[in-house]
Amino acid sequence: MPEGWAFGYRDAGGVTRMLHGAATPAPGPDPEPFTVPRVRLRGLAGRSRARTAAELPLVTAGVGGSTVLEVKWATSQPSAGALAAAPLATLVDDLAWAADNGLRVMLRTYAGIYAPGFVRTAAGNIAPWYSKDNPPTYDWEAIPGGLANWTKPAFATAYRDWNLRLRDAIGDHAALAAVTMSLPMTEYAEPCLKQYSYAANRASAKAAGITTDADLDAFERGFEIHKEVWSAAGVATACAYNTHQGLNAAGEMEASMSRTLALMDRQLAILGKFCVWENNSLMDPDDDYAPMYAKMAEGHADPAKKVALHFQTRTTDKHKIAWKPTAKTSPARTFARAVALGANSVEFPTGGMDAVSKDGATIWDAFTLAQAAKVNSDLAANTPVWP
């Protein structure tokens, strides 16, 4: 559709709204504000429609589970204004598929290196920027185009516009339970990780004026935007946490778990019942992130907070590498840890749920339908309930 188009439609509550093709969307009358999310994530989930479909009988066992759907900014909105029609149609089809299978949906959005060119122009571009996610060598390689400066107001303005357009297109879909907050991310949907271990990235960030305080402010803006955009539609906001990587005045990396815990508090303070604390590195046994996991468990158990928790497990290969006779890690064991922490949803490992062997011996058996039904039930039982 050309710029300047607009049409009206009725949302799930029967309220007339407007979808616009130019500038920031100017919706019609907003519905009465939601006080809690319309629907919650639950159970086992795949990291994409394809991964979920590959294990669909397990994901849907018992009370059922969820799926992640990914949306990359430059694909979704390649130029200022309207969302691209074909990717939006695919997303709508994916949501319909999820609903048809009784699945709840987490929309995992990607900003950072996936921001479109018009945002890089408006906010300033940070280049060169390097990634180590390059198999099989995993050498640091320059990302074509670098990434947009996520700390600038122009970036936040564009991010808000993108989210408004997504909300007006799919925000009232019955399966949509949560959207990730990706404003301060760089490469991964884990915005605390900045790839500052590589000196050239630190130099580029410092030259662009990136500081720890500027990054923390970007988190704050992201939470506020999601409260305005998604909480108003009854959709929760998830943020994935790791040890926060900051950059001091000398351009050196400063990693801090205390900053991570403070960011979790800020997300909860701003989003309240629409807050989902997330981590994408869960495995058992594993000692990483112990203070963060303790805070997550406390936040879920506290009757005044009842924070929803979502985990992505580490990959099948990482589980296999970590396995040893004295520490028999497995996806099943990691799922049990997620349940014990209070999670109401968890993504199964890439690599699937089949039996795995190491050194000629089976180290864990294929996950069964009965096991999946039990995990789904246990995770669903952790879903926060408000009077």
mmCIF file of all heavy atoms in Angstrom, residues 108-159:
data_model
loop_
_atom_site.group_PDB
_atom_site.id
_atom_site.type_symbol
_atom_site.label_atom_id
_atom_site.label_comp_id
_atom_site.label_asym_id
_atom_site.label_seq_id
_atom_site.Cartn_x
_atom_site.Cartn_y
_atom_site.Cartn_z
ATOM 1 N N ARG A 108 9.554 -12.727 19.631
ATOM 2 C CA ARG A 108 10.937 -12.333 19.923
ATOM 3 C C ARG A 108 11.384 -11.362 18.843
ATOM 4 O O ARG A 108 11.611 -11.731 17.696
ATOM 5 C CB ARG A 108 11.845 -13.562 19.990
ATOM 6 C CG ARG A 108 13.309 -13.236 20.270
ATOM 7 C CD ARG A 108 14.090 -14.467 20.703
ATOM 8 N NE ARG A 108 13.745 -14.872 22.069
ATOM 9 C CZ ARG A 108 13.639 -16.128 22.488
ATOM 10 N NH1 ARG A 108 13.825 -17.120 21.643
ATOM 11 N NH2 ARG A 108 13.335 -16.379 23.745
ATOM 12 N N THR A 109 11.482 -10.096 19.228
ATOM 13 C CA THR A 109 11.855 -9.057 18.278
ATOM 14 C C THR A 109 13.363 -8.819 18.315
ATOM 15 O O THR A 109 14.000 -8.972 19.355
ATOM 16 C CB THR A 109 11.115 -7.748 18.569
ATOM 17 O OG1 THR A 109 11.531 -7.243 19.852
ATOM 18 C CG2 THR A 109 9.611 -7.955 18.572
ATOM 19 N N TYR A 110 13.890 -8.422 17.164
ATOM 20 C CA TYR A 110 15.330 -8.183 17.039
ATOM 21 C C TYR A 110 15.569 -6.781 16.503
ATOM 22 O O TYR A 110 15.209 -6.469 15.363
ATOM 23 C CB TYR A 110 15.963 -9.199 16.088
ATOM 24 C CG TYR A 110 16.046 -10.604 16.628
ATOM 25 C CD1 TYR A 110 14.954 -11.462 16.573
ATOM 26 C CD2 TYR A 110 17.226 -11.081 17.203
ATOM 27 C CE1 TYR A 110 15.022 -12.753 17.068
ATOM 28 C CE2 TYR A 110 17.316 -12.364 17.699
ATOM 29 C CZ TYR A 110 16.208 -13.200 17.635
ATOM 30 O OH TYR A 110 16.284 -14.476 18.133
ATOM 31 N N ALA A 111 16.209 -5.945 17.315
ATOM 32 C CA ALA A 111 16.661 -4.621 16.897
ATOM 33 C C ALA A 111 18.173 -4.718 16.659
ATOM 34 O O ALA A 111 18.628 -5.574 15.931
ATOM 35 C CB ALA A 111 16.281 -3.572 17.938
ATOM 36 N N GLY A 112 18.989 -3.841 17.253
ATOM 37 C CA GLY A 112 20.445 -3.958 17.148
ATOM 38 C C GLY A 112 20.934 -4.011 15.715
ATOM 39 O O GLY A 112 20.628 -3.136 14.900
ATOM 40 N N ILE A 113 21.678 -5.071 15.385
ATOM 41 C CA ILE A 113 22.224 -5.204 14.035
ATOM 42 C C ILE A 113 21.128 -5.419 13.001
ATOM 43 O O ILE A 113 21.383 -5.349 11.798
ATOM 44 C CB ILE A 113 23.263 -6.338 13.946
ATOM 45 C CG1 ILE A 113 22.610 -7.698 14.244
ATOM 46 C CG2 ILE A 113 24.440 -6.071 14.866
ATOM 47 C CD1 ILE A 113 23.537 -8.884 14.000
ATOM 48 N N TYR A 114 19.904 -5.681 13.457
ATOM 49 C CA TYR A 114 18.778 -5.904 12.550
ATOM 50 C C TYR A 114 17.941 -4.643 12.340
ATOM 51 O O TYR A 114 16.894 -4.686 11.690
ATOM 52 C CB TYR A 114 17.890 -7.031 13.083
ATOM 53 C CG TYR A 114 18.638 -8.316 13.274
ATOM 54 C CD1 TYR A 114 19.118 -8.697 14.534
ATOM 55 C CD2 TYR A 114 18.913 -9.155 12.195
ATOM 56 C CE1 TYR A 114 19.821 -9.876 14.717
ATOM 57 C CE2 TYR A 114 19.623 -10.336 12.368
ATOM 58 C CZ TYR A 114 20.073 -10.693 13.631
ATOM 59 O OH TYR A 114 20.776 -11.859 13.799
ATOM 60 N N ALA A 115 18.386 -3.502 12.875
ATOM 61 C CA ALA A 115 17.675 -2.243 12.643
ATOM 62 C C ALA A 115 17.822 -1.836 11.183
ATOM 63 O O ALA A 115 18.894 -1.994 10.584
ATOM 64 C CB ALA A 115 18.211 -1.152 13.552
ATOM 65 N N PRO A 116 16.765 -1.299 10.582
ATOM 66 C CA PRO A 116 16.832 -0.926 9.166
ATOM 67 C C PRO A 116 17.706 0.303 8.922
ATOM 68 O O PRO A 116 18.036 1.064 9.844
ATOM 69 C CB PRO A 116 15.367 -0.640 8.813
ATOM 70 C CG PRO A 116 14.708 -0.326 10.115
ATOM 71 C CD PRO A 116 15.430 -1.105 11.162
ATOM 72 N N GLY A 117 18.053 0.519 7.655
ATOM 73 C CA GLY A 117 18.948 1.603 7.288
ATOM 74 C C GLY A 117 18.447 2.975 7.680
ATOM 75 O O GLY A 117 19.240 3.846 8.087
ATOM 76 N N PHE A 118 17.137 3.211 7.583
ATOM 77 C CA PHE A 118 16.644 4.544 7.910
ATOM 78 C C PHE A 118 16.836 4.859 9.389
ATOM 79 O O PHE A 118 16.995 6.020 9.769
ATOM 80 C CB PHE A 118 15.173 4.706 7.492
ATOM 81 C CG PHE A 118 14.164 4.031 8.378
ATOM 82 C CD1 PHE A 118 13.600 4.705 9.454
ATOM 83 C CD2 PHE A 118 13.752 2.731 8.117
ATOM 84 C CE1 PHE A 118 12.647 4.088 10.267
ATOM 85 C CE2 PHE A 118 12.802 2.105 8.919
ATOM 86 C CZ PHE A 118 12.253 2.785 10.003
ATOM 87 N N VAL A 119 16.855 3.829 10.233
ATOM 88 C CA VAL A 119 17.111 4.038 11.660
ATOM 89 C C VAL A 119 18.585 4.329 11.892
ATOM 90 O O VAL A 119 18.951 5.188 12.700
ATOM 91 C CB VAL A 119 16.651 2.819 12.480
ATOM 92 C CG1 VAL A 119 16.975 3.014 13.959
ATOM 93 C CG2 VAL A 119 15.155 2.586 12.286
ATOM 94 N N ARG A 120 19.461 3.643 11.171
ATOM 95 C CA ARG A 120 20.902 3.905 11.274
ATOM 96 C C ARG A 120 21.204 5.347 10.868
ATOM 97 O O ARG A 120 22.042 6.017 11.478
ATOM 98 C CB ARG A 120 21.679 2.942 10.373
ATOM 99 C CG ARG A 120 21.521 1.477 10.738
ATOM 100 C CD ARG A 120 22.070 0.593 9.620
ATOM 101 N NE ARG A 120 21.717 -0.799 9.815
ATOM 102 C CZ ARG A 120 22.502 -1.707 10.372
ATOM 103 N NH1 ARG A 120 23.695 -1.353 10.800
ATOM 104 N NH2 ARG A 120 22.098 -2.950 10.506
ATOM 105 N N THR A 121 20.518 5.823 9.834
ATOM 106 C CA THR A 121 20.716 7.200 9.389
ATOM 107 C C THR A 121 20.251 8.188 10.447
ATOM 108 O O THR A 121 20.930 9.184 10.746
ATOM 109 C CB THR A 121 19.959 7.448 8.074
ATOM 110 O OG1 THR A 121 20.470 6.562 7.070
ATOM 111 C CG2 THR A 121 20.119 8.882 7.612
ATOM 112 N N ALA A 122 19.102 7.936 11.043
ATOM 113 C CA ALA A 122 18.529 8.862 12.017
ATOM 114 C C ALA A 122 19.285 8.869 13.340
ATOM 115 O O ALA A 122 19.493 9.925 13.948
ATOM 116 C CB ALA A 122 17.060 8.516 12.257
ATOM 117 N N ALA A 123 19.703 7.685 13.798
ATOM 118 C CA ALA A 123 20.308 7.568 15.131
ATOM 119 C C ALA A 123 21.832 7.564 15.099
ATOM 120 O O ALA A 123 22.469 7.737 16.134
ATOM 121 C CB ALA A 123 19.803 6.296 15.818
ATOM 122 N N GLY A 124 22.402 7.379 13.930
ATOM 123 C CA GLY A 124 23.854 7.250 13.831
ATOM 124 C C GLY A 124 24.245 5.783 13.815
ATOM 125 O O GLY A 124 23.657 4.956 14.524
ATOM 126 N N ASN A 125 25.226 5.467 13.003
ATOM 127 C CA ASN A 125 25.655 4.078 12.841
ATOM 128 C C ASN A 125 26.956 3.823 13.587
ATOM 129 O O ASN A 125 27.837 4.681 13.633
ATOM 130 C CB ASN A 125 25.845 3.760 11.353
ATOM 131 C CG ASN A 125 25.768 2.278 11.078
ATOM 132 O OD1 ASN A 125 24.872 1.608 11.580
ATOM 133 N ND2 ASN A 125 26.683 1.766 10.278
ATOM 134 N N ILE A 126 27.057 2.664 14.200
ATOM 135 C CA ILE A 126 28.264 2.265 14.917
ATOM 136 C C ILE A 126 28.974 1.207 14.078
ATOM 137 O O ILE A 126 28.456 0.104 13.879
ATOM 138 C CB ILE A 126 27.933 1.703 16.314
ATOM 139 C CG1 ILE A 126 27.150 2.731 17.125
ATOM 140 C CG2 ILE A 126 29.206 1.302 17.045
ATOM 141 C CD1 ILE A 126 26.661 2.201 18.469
ATOM 142 N N ALA A 127 30.144 1.542 13.580
ATOM 143 C CA ALA A 127 30.890 0.621 12.727
ATOM 144 C C ALA A 127 32.381 0.924 12.844
ATOM 145 O O ALA A 127 32.760 2.073 13.094
ATOM 146 C CB ALA A 127 30.421 0.735 11.282
ATOM 147 N N PRO A 128 33.225 -0.080 12.684
ATOM 148 C CA PRO A 128 32.843 -1.474 12.456
ATOM 149 C C PRO A 128 32.330 -2.127 13.746
ATOM 150 O O PRO A 128 32.655 -1.687 14.848
ATOM 151 C CB PRO A 128 34.155 -2.112 12.003
ATOM 152 C CG PRO A 128 35.215 -1.308 12.688
ATOM 153 C CD PRO A 128 34.699 0.103 12.707
ATOM 154 N N TRP A 129 31.544 -3.176 13.565
ATOM 155 C CA TRP A 129 31.067 -3.980 14.695
ATOM 156 C C TRP A 129 31.278 -5.444 14.335
ATOM 157 O O TRP A 129 31.022 -5.858 13.202
ATOM 158 C CB TRP A 129 29.589 -3.713 14.974
ATOM 159 C CG TRP A 129 29.160 -4.239 16.320
ATOM 160 C CD1 TRP A 129 28.552 -5.436 16.586
ATOM 161 C CD2 TRP A 129 29.349 -3.601 17.581
ATOM 162 N NE1 TRP A 129 28.354 -5.570 17.934
ATOM 163 C CE2 TRP A 129 28.822 -4.459 18.573
ATOM 164 C CE3 TRP A 129 29.905 -2.377 17.962
ATOM 165 C CZ2 TRP A 129 28.843 -4.137 19.928
ATOM 166 C CZ3 TRP A 129 29.923 -2.056 19.306
ATOM 167 C CH2 TRP A 129 29.392 -2.932 20.281
ATOM 168 N N TYR A 130 31.773 -6.216 15.294
ATOM 169 C CA TYR A 130 32.219 -7.578 15.006
ATOM 170 C C TYR A 130 31.385 -8.610 15.760
ATOM 171 O O TYR A 130 30.954 -8.391 16.890
ATOM 172 C CB TYR A 130 33.693 -7.743 15.383
ATOM 173 C CG TYR A 130 34.623 -6.918 14.523
ATOM 174 C CD1 TYR A 130 34.862 -5.573 14.819
ATOM 175 C CD2 TYR A 130 35.241 -7.474 13.407
ATOM 176 C CE1 TYR A 130 35.707 -4.811 14.029
ATOM 177 C CE2 TYR A 130 36.095 -6.711 12.610
ATOM 178 C CZ TYR A 130 36.319 -5.384 12.927
ATOM 179 O OH TYR A 130 37.146 -4.623 12.137
ATOM 180 N N SER A 131 31.205 -9.750 15.097
ATOM 181 C CA SER A 131 30.484 -10.878 15.679
ATOM 182 C C SER A 131 31.385 -12.101 15.702
ATOM 183 O O SER A 131 32.178 -12.318 14.783
ATOM 184 C CB SER A 131 29.235 -11.187 14.854
ATOM 185 O OG SER A 131 28.677 -12.443 15.227
ATOM 186 N N LYS A 132 31.231 -12.908 16.763
ATOM 187 C CA LYS A 132 31.977 -14.162 16.841
ATOM 188 C C LYS A 132 31.091 -15.357 16.500
ATOM 189 O O LYS A 132 31.523 -16.502 16.543
ATOM 190 C CB LYS A 132 32.563 -14.339 18.248
ATOM 191 C CG LYS A 132 33.706 -15.349 18.317
ATOM 192 C CD LYS A 132 34.315 -15.420 19.704
ATOM 193 C CE LYS A 132 35.472 -16.398 19.735
ATOM 194 N NZ LYS A 132 36.079 -16.519 21.075
ATOM 195 N N ASP A 133 29.853 -15.096 16.143
ATOM 196 C CA ASP A 133 28.896 -16.161 15.866
ATOM 197 C C ASP A 133 29.029 -16.603 14.409
ATOM 198 O O ASP A 133 28.108 -16.471 13.604
ATOM 199 C CB ASP A 133 27.475 -15.670 16.156
ATOM 200 C CG ASP A 133 26.467 -16.805 16.175
ATOM 201 O OD1 ASP A 133 26.900 -17.971 16.238
ATOM 202 O OD2 ASP A 133 25.262 -16.519 16.128
ATOM 203 N N ASN A 134 30.209 -17.165 14.087
ATOM 204 C CA ASN A 134 30.510 -17.533 12.709
ATOM 205 C C ASN A 134 31.106 -18.940 12.654
ATOM 206 O O ASN A 134 32.321 -19.114 12.599
ATOM 207 C CB ASN A 134 31.500 -16.526 12.089
ATOM 208 C CG ASN A 134 30.974 -15.116 12.092
ATOM 209 O OD1 ASN A 134 30.032 -14.808 11.392
ATOM 210 N ND2 ASN A 134 31.579 -14.259 12.904
ATOM 211 N N PRO A 135 30.244 -19.969 12.697
ATOM 212 C CA PRO A 135 30.776 -21.336 12.638
ATOM 213 C C PRO A 135 31.396 -21.615 11.276
ATOM 214 O O PRO A 135 31.041 -20.957 10.288
ATOM 215 C CB PRO A 135 29.515 -22.192 12.858
ATOM 216 C CG PRO A 135 28.365 -21.317 12.463
ATOM 217 C CD PRO A 135 28.788 -19.920 12.804
ATOM 218 N N PRO A 136 32.349 -22.561 11.151
ATOM 219 C CA PRO A 136 32.802 -23.417 12.245
ATOM 220 C C PRO A 136 33.968 -22.848 13.049
ATOM 221 O O PRO A 136 34.355 -23.390 14.061
ATOM 222 C CB PRO A 136 33.233 -24.677 11.499
ATOM 223 C CG PRO A 136 33.763 -24.148 10.195
ATOM 224 C CD PRO A 136 32.893 -22.976 9.844
ATOM 225 N N THR A 137 34.572 -21.739 12.593
ATOM 226 C CA THR A 137 35.783 -21.234 13.250
ATOM 227 C C THR A 137 35.465 -20.329 14.432
ATOM 228 O O THR A 137 36.261 -20.199 15.351
ATOM 229 C CB THR A 137 36.640 -20.436 12.249
ATOM 230 O OG1 THR A 137 35.871 -19.332 11.757
ATOM 231 C CG2 THR A 137 37.053 -21.318 11.071
ATOM 232 N N TYR A 138 34.298 -19.672 14.389
ATOM 233 C CA TYR A 138 33.901 -18.710 15.423
ATOM 234 C C TYR A 138 34.950 -17.605 15.605
ATOM 235 O O TYR A 138 35.239 -17.164 16.707
ATOM 236 C CB TYR A 138 33.591 -19.426 16.748
ATOM 237 C CG TYR A 138 32.345 -20.259 16.645
ATOM 238 C CD1 TYR A 138 32.412 -21.625 16.367
ATOM 239 C CD2 TYR A 138 31.087 -19.677 16.763
ATOM 240 C CE1 TYR A 138 31.257 -22.386 16.239
ATOM 241 C CE2 TYR A 138 29.923 -20.433 16.633
ATOM 242 C CZ TYR A 138 30.017 -21.781 16.371
ATOM 243 O OH TYR A 138 28.869 -22.530 16.229
ATOM 244 N N ASP A 139 35.514 -17.179 14.477
ATOM 245 C CA ASP A 139 36.399 -16.019 14.487
ATOM 246 C C ASP A 139 35.561 -14.744 14.500
ATOM 247 O O ASP A 139 34.409 -14.720 14.056
ATOM 248 C CB ASP A 139 37.292 -16.022 13.239
ATOM 249 C CG ASP A 139 38.273 -17.179 13.238
ATOM 250 O OD1 ASP A 139 38.687 -17.602 14.333
ATOM 251 O OD2 ASP A 139 38.604 -17.668 12.144
ATOM 252 N N TRP A 140 36.154 -13.672 15.010
ATOM 253 C CA TRP A 140 35.477 -12.381 14.978
ATOM 254 C C TRP A 140 35.477 -11.848 13.554
ATOM 255 O O TRP A 140 36.523 -11.716 12.929
ATOM 256 C CB TRP A 140 36.168 -11.386 15.909
ATOM 257 C CG TRP A 140 35.986 -11.693 17.361
ATOM 258 C CD1 TRP A 140 36.836 -12.371 18.180
ATOM 259 C CD2 TRP A 140 34.871 -11.316 18.171
ATOM 260 N NE1 TRP A 140 36.329 -12.461 19.449
ATOM 261 C CE2 TRP A 140 35.116 -11.810 19.480
ATOM 262 C CE3 TRP A 140 33.683 -10.619 17.931
ATOM 263 C CZ2 TRP A 140 34.226 -11.620 20.529
ATOM 264 C CZ3 TRP A 140 32.796 -10.432 18.974
ATOM 265 C CH2 TRP A 140 33.060 -10.927 20.260
ATOM 266 N N GLU A 141 34.286 -11.555 13.043
ATOM 267 C CA GLU A 141 34.145 -11.025 11.693
ATOM 268 C C GLU A 141 33.252 -9.793 11.728
ATOM 269 O O GLU A 141 32.291 -9.722 12.497
ATOM 270 C CB GLU A 141 33.539 -12.073 10.758
ATOM 271 C CG GLU A 141 34.425 -13.300 10.568
ATOM 272 C CD GLU A 141 33.802 -14.323 9.637
ATOM 273 O OE1 GLU A 141 32.768 -13.993 9.010
ATOM 274 O OE2 GLU A 141 34.340 -15.438 9.530
ATOM 275 N N ALA A 142 33.585 -8.813 10.869
ATOM 276 C CA ALA A 142 32.812 -7.578 10.821
ATOM 277 C C ALA A 142 31.402 -7.845 10.302
ATOM 278 O O ALA A 142 31.210 -8.609 9.353
ATOM 279 C CB ALA A 142 33.508 -6.555 9.939
ATOM 280 N N ILE A 143 30.418 -7.233 10.959
ATOM 281 C CA ILE A 143 29.028 -7.323 10.511
ATOM 282 C C ILE A 143 28.799 -6.237 9.462
ATOM 283 O O ILE A 143 29.017 -5.054 9.743
ATOM 284 C CB ILE A 143 28.068 -7.131 11.702
ATOM 285 C CG1 ILE A 143 28.233 -8.285 12.692
ATOM 286 C CG2 ILE A 143 26.627 -7.021 11.225
ATOM 287 C CD1 ILE A 143 27.451 -8.088 13.973
ATOM 288 N N PRO A 144 28.369 -6.597 8.269
ATOM 289 C CA PRO A 144 28.128 -5.572 7.242
ATOM 290 C C PRO A 144 27.145 -4.514 7.737
ATOM 291 O O PRO A 144 26.058 -4.827 8.209
ATOM 292 C CB PRO A 144 27.534 -6.377 6.084
ATOM 293 C CG PRO A 144 28.041 -7.771 6.282
ATOM 294 C CD PRO A 144 28.111 -7.959 7.763
ATOM 295 N N GLY A 145 27.570 -3.267 7.675
ATOM 296 C CA GLY A 145 26.685 -2.176 8.066
ATOM 297 C C GLY A 145 26.755 -1.776 9.519
ATOM 298 O O GLY A 145 26.227 -0.736 9.895
ATOM 299 N N GLY A 146 27.402 -2.578 10.365
ATOM 300 C CA GLY A 146 27.464 -2.234 11.785
ATOM 301 C C GLY A 146 26.096 -2.305 12.432
ATOM 302 O O GLY A 146 25.275 -3.160 12.096
ATOM 303 N N LEU A 147 25.841 -1.398 13.379
ATOM 304 C CA LEU A 147 24.535 -1.361 14.023
ATOM 305 C C LEU A 147 24.182 0.069 14.383
ATOM 306 O O LEU A 147 25.056 0.920 14.556
ATOM 307 C CB LEU A 147 24.474 -2.252 15.273
ATOM 308 C CG LEU A 147 25.155 -1.783 16.550
ATOM 309 C CD1 LEU A 147 24.553 -2.506 17.750
ATOM 310 C CD2 LEU A 147 26.647 -2.068 16.520
ATOM 311 N N ALA A 148 22.887 0.328 14.522
ATOM 312 C CA ALA A 148 22.425 1.673 14.868
ATOM 313 C C ALA A 148 22.728 1.968 16.332
ATOM 314 O O ALA A 148 22.782 1.067 17.177
ATOM 315 C CB ALA A 148 20.927 1.796 14.599
ATOM 316 N N ASN A 149 22.916 3.243 16.650
ATOM 317 C CA ASN A 149 23.213 3.662 18.021
ATOM 318 C C ASN A 149 21.931 3.624 18.845
ATOM 319 O O ASN A 149 21.090 4.516 18.773
ATOM 320 C CB ASN A 149 23.814 5.064 18.027
ATOM 321 C CG ASN A 149 24.349 5.444 19.386
ATOM 322 O OD1 ASN A 149 23.875 4.984 20.417
ATOM 323 N ND2 ASN A 149 25.369 6.301 19.405
ATOM 324 N N TRP A 150 21.804 2.580 19.648
ATOM 325 C CA TRP A 150 20.576 2.319 20.403
ATOM 326 C C TRP A 150 20.367 3.283 21.569
ATOM 327 O O TRP A 150 19.293 3.299 22.167
ATOM 328 C CB TRP A 150 20.586 0.886 20.913
ATOM 329 C CG TRP A 150 21.604 0.621 21.989
ATOM 330 C CD1 TRP A 150 21.414 0.695 23.337
ATOM 331 C CD2 TRP A 150 22.991 0.250 21.803
ATOM 332 N NE1 TRP A 150 22.573 0.389 24.013
ATOM 333 C CE2 TRP A 150 23.556 0.105 23.096
ATOM 334 C CE3 TRP A 150 23.784 0.019 20.694
ATOM 335 C CZ2 TRP A 150 24.889 -0.249 23.292
ATOM 336 C CZ3 TRP A 150 25.111 -0.346 20.895
ATOM 337 C CH2 TRP A 150 25.648 -0.474 22.168
ATOM 338 N N THR A 151 21.360 4.104 21.882
ATOM 339 C CA THR A 151 21.222 5.022 23.016
ATOM 340 C C THR A 151 20.656 6.379 22.616
ATOM 341 O O THR A 151 20.394 7.213 23.493
ATOM 342 C CB THR A 151 22.580 5.237 23.717
ATOM 343 O OG1 THR A 151 23.463 5.951 22.839
ATOM 344 C CG2 THR A 151 23.213 3.907 24.105
ATOM 345 N N LYS A 152 20.462 6.635 21.337
ATOM 346 C CA LYS A 152 20.019 7.939 20.868
ATOM 347 C C LYS A 152 18.492 8.048 20.899
ATOM 348 O O LYS A 152 17.783 7.079 20.624
ATOM 349 C CB LYS A 152 20.519 8.195 19.444
ATOM 350 C CG LYS A 152 22.038 8.243 19.317
ATOM 351 C CD LYS A 152 22.620 9.391 20.130
ATOM 352 C CE LYS A 152 24.121 9.521 19.909
ATOM 353 N NZ LYS A 152 24.700 10.626 20.717
ATOM 354 N N PRO A 153 17.965 9.235 21.192
ATOM 355 C CA PRO A 153 16.502 9.416 21.198
ATOM 356 C C PRO A 153 15.846 9.039 19.874
ATOM 357 O O PRO A 153 14.731 8.513 19.867
ATOM 358 C CB PRO A 153 16.342 10.908 21.501
ATOM 359 C CG PRO A 153 17.572 11.272 22.276
ATOM 360 C CD PRO A 153 18.674 10.435 21.681
ATOM 361 N N ALA A 154 16.529 9.320 18.750
ATOM 362 C CA ALA A 154 15.945 8.984 17.446
ATOM 363 C C ALA A 154 15.725 7.480 17.302
ATOM 364 O O ALA A 154 14.772 7.038 16.648
ATOM 365 C CB ALA A 154 16.846 9.491 16.318
ATOM 366 N N PHE A 155 16.596 6.696 17.909
ATOM 367 C CA PHE A 155 16.429 5.239 17.871
ATOM 368 C C PHE A 155 15.180 4.850 18.642
ATOM 369 O O PHE A 155 14.362 4.040 18.172
ATOM 370 C CB PHE A 155 17.665 4.546 18.450
ATOM 371 C CG PHE A 155 17.659 3.048 18.300
ATOM 372 C CD1 PHE A 155 18.346 2.450 17.255
ATOM 373 C CD2 PHE A 155 16.976 2.243 19.188
ATOM 374 C CE1 PHE A 155 18.344 1.061 17.097
ATOM 375 C CE2 PHE A 155 16.959 0.856 19.051
ATOM 376 C CZ PHE A 155 17.645 0.262 17.999
ATOM 377 N N ALA A 156 15.010 5.410 19.843
ATOM 378 C CA ALA A 156 13.836 5.091 20.661
ATOM 379 C C ALA A 156 12.547 5.501 19.962
ATOM 380 O O ALA A 156 11.539 4.779 20.012
ATOM 381 C CB ALA A 156 13.946 5.775 22.025
ATOM 382 N N THR A 157 12.569 6.639 19.291
ATOM 383 C CA THR A 157 11.385 7.093 18.567
ATOM 384 C C THR A 157 11.009 6.107 17.468
ATOM 385 O O THR A 157 9.831 5.749 17.305
ATOM 386 C CB THR A 157 11.637 8.483 17.958
ATOM 387 O OG1 THR A 157 11.886 9.420 19.012
ATOM 388 C CG2 THR A 157 10.444 8.959 17.148
ATOM 389 N N ALA A 158 12.007 5.655 16.717
ATOM 390 C CA ALA A 158 11.744 4.691 15.646
ATOM 391 C C ALA A 158 11.313 3.345 16.209
ATOM 392 O O ALA A 158 10.426 2.678 15.642
ATOM 393 C CB ALA A 158 12.990 4.542 14.772
ATOM 394 N N TYR A 159 11.925 2.929 17.310
ATOM 395 C CA TYR A 159 11.561 1.655 17.941
ATOM 396 C C TYR A 159 10.111 1.693 18.417
ATOM 397 O O TYR A 159 9.360 0.725 18.250
ATOM 398 C CB TYR A 159 12.518 1.385 19.106
ATOM 399 C CG TYR A 159 12.244 0.111 19.865
ATOM 400 C CD1 TYR A 159 12.740 -1.113 19.411
ATOM 401 C CD2 TYR A 159 11.510 0.118 21.050
ATOM 402 C CE1 TYR A 159 12.501 -2.291 20.118
ATOM 403 C CE2 TYR A 159 11.272 -1.049 21.756
ATOM 404 C CZ TYR A 159 11.770 -2.252 21.289
ATOM 405 O OH TYR A 159 11.528 -3.418 21.992
#
